[in-house]
Amino acid sequence: MKKKLLSVVLSTAMLASVLAGCGGNDGGGSSVNRCSCSRRSSG
């Protein structure tokens, strides 16, 4: 039971960090995507 609770807590924390890091809009007006999760083109 403790392992299941721990896995739920850790999964929630990871989801929150992804949404906070990649889901926010700072309103800077720049069209450049600064999210480290997105793909970057090499060319």
Side-chain angles (χ1 to χ4, degrees):
M1 186 68 182
K2 287 184 180 182
K3 287 183 180 181
K4 188 172 184 177
L5 179 63
L6 181 64
S7 66
V8 169
V9 169
L10 290 177
S11 297
T12 304
M14 287 190 338
L15 179 63
S17 66
V18 167
L19 290 176
C22 296
N25 184 5
D26 61 353
S30 176
S31 62
V32 177
N33 189 0
R34 294 187 190 122
C35 179
S36 63
C37 301
S38 65
R39 296 184 199 176
R40 295 182 180 166
S41 62
S42 61

